[in-house]
Amino acid sequence: MTLLSAIAFIAMISSVPAASKAPLSQQLRAAATSGNLAMAKKLLQAGAPIVDPERSTDAMEDACGYKRKKVIELFLESGFKCRDSKDHGYAYIRRVIGSSDRGDAASIDIVKLLVERGGCDTFQTGDSDGRGKHASLINHAIFDNQPLIACYLIGKGADVPFSQKLTGTWATDRDSMLLAIEKNYTDVL
């Protein structure tokens, strides 16, 4: 690219009207996903909503899925509470569990942050998806090889679903405790 074409490109993108830019909520989701703390701060100051009722996912869910602890802390410091979301934080903890390696210390720290400072409800089992209830967070933690998170959630009073069958395309026909036995997670039992 020549210098003249680069200047023309910069002039073209700087002349794009503000109305064509992505909504603040989408910009905040991008900042949360990338872990751009400075941009997330600016967007929150500009009034970007963490939870956008128009969308099925939100900036907190994105930050959790990519384990962006600093962004999650920023959202919590700005007054966000998990109870403000449609499922009281189920999706946030679920995203952390699903994006983690077994025994990942960062993941357990984020789950603790969400429960203890964010007020995530460890009793939630998600909403109905037409096939019945989603699995509890305990089921997800065990299924996704997260026994430390399962133990933490049990210690915080999460429902231990002895008879709840896992449902969905990823699931098995075993309940959470049988799955824990099969995986030899004696610390969960």
Side-chain angles (χ1 to χ4, degrees), residues 27-36 40 59-60 62-63 66 68 71 75:
Q27 292 178 47
L28 186 59
R29 288 187 64 199
T33 298
S34 66
N36 188 332
M60 180 62 100
D62 292 332
Y66 287 93
R68 306 295 189 196
V71 174
F75 290 166

Side-chain angles (χ1 to χ4, degrees), residues 86-91 93-94 121-129 132-140 158-162 164-167 170:
K86 62 184 170 288
D87 61 11
H88 304 280
Y90 172 89
I93 294 176
R94 176 66 190 106
D121 184 353
T122 59
F123 293 95
Q124 289 293 317
T125 57
D127 56 359
S128 178
D129 64 358
K133 287 288 191 184
H134 288 295
S136 76
L137 292 170
I138 302 293
N139 288 76
H140 285 297
D159 184 31
V160 180
F162 289 102
Q164 180 188 22
K165 299 296 184 193
L166 300 171
T167 61
W170 54 270

Side-chain angles (χ1 to χ4, degrees), residues 5 9 25 31 43 58 103 107 109-110 113 121 130-131 135 155-156 165:
S5 62
F9 177 75
S25 63
L43 289 165
D58 56 52
S107 298
D109 288 345
I110 292 171
L113 184 68
D121 184 353
R131 296 179 302 231
K156 287 307 228 178
K165 299 296 184 193

